[in-house]
């Protein structure tokens, strides 16, 4: 079983657990659940589509479970390039970001229920 070189906060990168969302590039879901929540929202053409999908799955009373038993390589910008390098892509990304924040405002106000109240929402390093 492969293990991440960095175990992450509370070793969450190397053990199964509940998450609010995972990237769409490595999601597995039963077809009936995918169809029940309406699949991916096409308003999120590139960014936030996986997270939006996971949060809608959560609203439908299902959970997103992270399983560390597969090793995946995802090269985010290899095929489409970085948003910062193209004004049109950057505008699309900002539009999708604003839509995501608007759609999931309560998530940003109430916080991530799987993370807990102590880590700072302003830090990617789980500072208190």
């Amino acid at each position: 079983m492969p293990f991440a070189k960095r175990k992450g906060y509370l070793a969450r990168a190397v053990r199964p657990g509940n998450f609010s969302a995972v990237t769409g590039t490595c999601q597995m879901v039963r077809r009936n659940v995918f169809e029940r929540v309406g699949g991916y929202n096409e308003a999120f053409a590139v960014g936030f589509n996986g997270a939006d999908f996971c949060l809608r799955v959560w609203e439908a009373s299902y959970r997103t479970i992270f399983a560390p038993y597969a090793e995946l390589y995802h090269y985010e910008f290899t095929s489409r390039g970085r948003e910062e390098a193209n004004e049109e892509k950057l505008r699309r990304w900002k539009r999708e970001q604003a839509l995501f924040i608007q759609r999931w405002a309560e998530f940003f106000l109430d916080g991530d229920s799987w993370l807990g109240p102590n880590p700072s929402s302003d830090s990617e390093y789980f500072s208190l």
Side-chain angles (χ1 to χ4, degrees), residues 1 5 15 17 29 39 42 72-74 77 93 100 113 120:
M1 174 172 63
K5 291 178 184 164
R15 62 183 175 82
V29 63
E42 292 184 15
L72 305 170
Y73 294 89
H74 173 54
F77 303 107
W93 186 84
F100 186 80
S113 60
S120 170

Side-chain angles (χ1 to χ4, degrees), residues 3 8 14 17-18 29 31 33 40-41 47-48 56-57 66 71 75 80 91 95 107 115 118 124:
F3 282 96
V14 294
N18 294 313
V29 63
R31 182 181 187 103
V33 174
Y40 292 108
N41 182 342
F48 308 95
R56 287 186 290 115
V57 165
F66 169 74
E71 186 170 348
Y75 301 103
R80 63 182 170 86
R91 279 194 302 275
R95 238 185 355 262
F107 183 81
L115 187 56
N118 295 321
E124 295 177 6

Side-chain angles (χ1 to χ4, degrees), residues 76-115:
E76 181 74 31
F77 303 107
T78 301
S79 62
R80 63 182 170 86
R82 293 190 175 275
E83 278 75 11
E84 297 89 3
N86 180 294
E87 191 63 35
E88 183 180 333
K89 289 179 182 181
L90 186 58
R91 279 194 302 275
R92 185 208 62 240
W93 186 84
K94 287 183 178 184
R95 238 185 355 262
E96 291 177 11
Q97 179 186 42
L99 178 61
F100 186 80
I101 291 170
Q102 177 186 8
R103 169 62 179 94
W104 298 104
E106 73 279 1
F107 183 81
F108 291 94
L109 295 172
D110 300 338
D112 185 337
S113 60
W114 297 114
L115 187 56

Side-chain angles (χ1 to χ4, degrees), residues 18-55:
N18 294 313
F19 279 73
S20 294
V22 296
T23 180
T25 56
C26 65
Q27 292 174 349
M28 281 186 14
V29 63
R30 289 192 322 260
R31 182 181 187 103
N32 67 323
V33 174
F34 185 84
E35 291 172 351
R36 178 178 176 195
V37 302
Y40 292 108
N41 182 342
E42 292 184 15
F44 299 109
V46 176
F48 308 95
N49 48 18
D52 173 72
F53 175 77
C54 287
L55 294 176

